[in-house]
Each structure stands twice: as C-alpha cells, then as structure tokens.
C-alpha cells in the first residue's frame, strides 16, 4: 500500500470555517462579551457556549456539554472566530490540545493526518444539530 503525502484541501477547509462562523454567530448573543454563556437543550442533552475572550477582530468561545453525566460526550473545544475574515476554527480540544493543520501518520497519539479538518467538520455538524433541534435557555437575538 502506497503512503501518499497528505495535503490540506484549503478551499474545503475554508468553506467549513465560513459555515461554522455563520452557525456559531446564530447561536451566540449579539455584541458578545467575556463571560456570556448560552445553553441549548437538544435531545435531552445540554450544550454550552461560553465567550472567553473578545478582541477587536476575534472572539474565543468554549464549546462543551454541560450535563452532569453526558450520554454522548462532546469534547470541550475552544473555537476562535475571526470577524474580519468571517471564519471560525477549532483552536484546541480537550483530547489533544492545540490542533495542528496536519499530522504525520502514524504518530504516537494516533492522530489522523486530517485531524484539524475532521474536528472542524464535527463542530459544523454539532452546530447544525443545535440550530435544528436546540432550545435556547435564553432569548436568541435575530441578526438582520
């Protein structure tokens, strides 16, 4: 079996970042401030978005499941929103810290070559789930 060199599909990854930005903004409060928290109940599970940092061009949000005993545990993730570029990417995850653009494979932690792309697609799926099935525990502001 041939060991092909993995190349990041930048166009596909940027599409994921852009859609994640739009989805995340729909779930966050307008003019988010450090400490703002939004909780969503979906399929008997509670998910939480907490604003950890706000700068002129970025916002850092922690995404986690806030159930006492999670049925399908969501990994805690830090997601950075870049407002000038209108993209959001998973910055780090509790399972492996800061996420690199690519990994050599095999490696000691058995990270996939495209781990960054996979975790960002996972975030997109999770955000879609919350948007479709989640019930906010606080009023959601509609953006125009």
């Amino acid at each position: 079996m041939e060991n092909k060199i993995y190349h990041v599909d930048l166009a596909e990854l940027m599409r994921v970042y852009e859609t994640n930005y739009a989805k995340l903004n729909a779930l966050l409060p307008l003019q988010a401030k450090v400490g703002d928290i939004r909780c969503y109940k979906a399929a008997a599970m509670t998910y939480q978005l907490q604003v950890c940092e706000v700068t002129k061009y970025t916002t850092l949000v922690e995404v986690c499941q806030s159930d006492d005993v999670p049925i399908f545990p969501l990994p805690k993730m830090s997601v950075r929103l870049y407002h000038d570029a209108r993209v959001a990417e998973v910055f780090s995850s509790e399972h492996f810290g800061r996420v690199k653009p690519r990994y050599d494979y095999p490696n000691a932690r058995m990270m996939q070559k495209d781990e960054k792309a996979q975790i960002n697609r996972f975030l997109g799926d999770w955000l879609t789930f919350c948007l479709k099935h989640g019930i906010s525990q606080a009023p959601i502001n509609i953006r125009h």
Side-chain angles (χ1 to χ4, degrees), residues 53-68:
E53 176 186 290
V54 176
T55 68
K56 185 175 181 180
Y57 298 107
T58 67
T59 300
L60 183 65
V61 176
E62 186 175 89
V63 178
C64 67
Q65 192 166 351
S66 57
D67 296 308
D68 291 334

Side-chain angles (χ1 to χ4, degrees), residues 2-8 100-107 110-118:
E2 188 179 318
N3 189 9
K4 291 174 141 182
I5 295 174
Y6 170 73
H7 295 283
V8 175
K100 295 180 188 176
R102 64 179 289 284
Y103 292 87
D104 291 327
Y105 190 84
N107 55 69
M110 294 308 292
M111 306 292 280
Q112 296 297 312
K113 293 178 181 184
D114 66 339
E115 197 77 41
K116 186 173 195 90
Q118 286 187 43

Side-chain angles (χ1 to χ4, degrees), residues 42-48 63-77 93-95 119 122-123 126 129:
M45 294 172 275
T46 306
Y47 300 103
Q48 176 177 296
V63 178
C64 67
Q65 192 166 351
S66 57
D67 296 308
D68 291 334
V69 181
I71 301 167
F72 301 107
L74 171 78
K76 186 182 287 188
M77 294 181 271
S93 172
E94 72 178 328
H95 295 307
I119 197 161
F122 174 77
L123 173 67
W126 178 82
F129 175 74

Side-chain angles (χ1 to χ4, degrees), residues 67-91:
D67 296 308
D68 291 334
V69 181
I71 301 167
F72 301 107
L74 171 78
K76 186 182 287 188
M77 294 181 271
S78 293
V79 181
R80 188 169 304 278
L81 289 85
Y82 298 91
H83 303 297
D84 52 346
R86 301 184 61 79
V87 296
E89 73 168 320
V90 175
F91 179 72

